[in-house]
Amino acid sequence: MGGANRVVLDANVLVRLVAPGDLREQALALWDRVLLGIEPCVAPSFCSAEVISSFRQMGRGGHLTAEREEQAVDEFVSGIQPVLISVESPVLTRLAWEIARDLIERHTYDSVYLAAARAFGMEFWTADQRLLRQLAGRFPEARFLGDFPLPPPAP
């Protein structure tokens, strides 16, 4: 990964920053690069709603206590959301629709992230292996969070 890249992070990556789950270490390592300004982070304007919806689902599903769910929301809105560069435009909307159509998707949520990555020449990081399989290499911008390199352990 180069120096001044911008990245698009899927909501499922942002959720892992404050909620327990697999690939959390990779999400935190990637986020460290964002906080250092090495990888400014771009997200669709609806991303925050998608993240807090995930916290709500985790709370209702018993994966987070009510207290931990509220804490996750607070951590997101105070420490993560302000760092995100929100993007939305008619050009991105149209491109997202075209991508969803080409992928034969019913919904366009994932396609908006892909459209931003493609339009701005950014990497798109996701933990969604189903999405990556569906892309079948058609989006070289797409990266699996599990492949993000972890820093070496401290001596």
Side-chain angles (χ1 to χ4, degrees):
M1 246 183 302
N5 294 333
R6 287 171 291 179
V7 295
V8 177
L9 300 183
D10 201 344
N12 60 47
V13 174
L14 298 172
V15 166
R16 283 166 170 78
L17 296 174
V18 296
D22 62 333
L23 306 178
R24 186 158 192 261
E25 288 182 49
Q26 287 88 344
L28 291 169
L30 179 53
W31 188 247
D32 282 345
R33 294 180 64 89
V34 170
L35 293 178
L36 291 172
I38 296 169
E39 311 276 354
C41 184
V42 172
S45 58
F46 63 81
C47 177
S48 295
E50 194 174 5
V51 170
I52 63 169
S53 178
S54 292
F55 294 146
R56 184 77 283 264
Q57 289 174 9
M58 294 170 85
R60 288 209 34 160
H63 301 288
L64 294 176
T65 64
E67 181 180 334
R68 185 63 189 103
E69 178 187 346
E70 185 171 1
Q71 182 183 7
V73 171
D74 289 342
E75 288 177 38
F76 176 75
V77 299
S78 65
I80 297 169
Q81 188 177 15
V83 178
L84 302 178
I85 300 167
S86 182
V87 295
E88 182 175 21
S89 77
V91 171
L92 288 178
T93 300
R94 175 68 185 201
L95 181 55
W97 173 80
E98 290 172 0
I99 291 169
R101 181 196 59 202
D102 293 346
L103 294 174
I104 313 170
E105 278 292 314
R106 278 186 334 167
H107 301 286
T108 59
Y109 301 108
D110 292 332
S111 299
V112 177
Y113 291 91
L114 292 165
R118 176 141 300 165
F120 299 113
M122 302 176 201
E123 293 177 343
F124 166 65
W125 287 89
T126 184
D128 187 343
Q129 290 183 306
R130 181 206 60 80
L131 173 61
L132 291 169
R133 278 191 304 275
Q134 182 182 9
L135 296 176
R138 291 181 281 178
F139 279 81
E141 307 90 340
R143 308 273 189 278
F144 175 55
L145 180 61
D147 293 335
F148 190 82
L150 292 174

